[in-house]
Amino acid sequence: MAKKRPAKRVAPPQGSPDDLLTAPEAARIAGVHRVTFSRRLKAGKGPPTIRAGAGGKPIYLVRRSDLLAWLASRQQR
């Protein structure tokens, strides 16, 4: 079995705190794989989300300020 590499934290790109990020964009900022991040969102274990899209596959959007606050709270543990 292959060893897991530690996730790299990426400096958050500059932007408005009210910017809406897609799950893959938020995952890149958080330094986790996009699938792992999406699973956390669906399980309610991530930052607050806005669910968009109708029908088949929902799109989860995360406000940049909520993502940064969630990351900060996880580092304080």
Side-chain angles (χ1 to χ4, degrees):
M1 190 183 223
K3 290 184 179 181
K4 289 186 178 182
R5 294 184 306 194
K8 287 193 253 178
R9 292 274 168 148
V10 178
Q14 298 301 318
S16 170
D18 292 328
D19 286 347
L20 293 176
L21 307 169
T22 62
E25 291 170 332
R28 188 171 42 253
I29 292 170
V32 297
H33 193 273
R34 62 181 176 75
V35 174
T36 301
F37 192 78
S38 293
R39 286 180 183 158
R40 287 181 186 169
L41 293 180
K42 290 176 188 173
K45 296 181 180 180
T49 60
I50 299 168
R51 188 174 167 186
K57 193 171 184 181
I59 297 171
Y60 292 93
L61 300 173
V62 180
R63 194 172 313 279
R64 183 185 304 272
S65 58
D66 291 339
L67 175 65
L68 297 177
W70 179 74
L71 288 172
S73 72
R74 291 183 51 81
Q75 288 185 351
Q76 292 176 0
R77 289 185 192 182

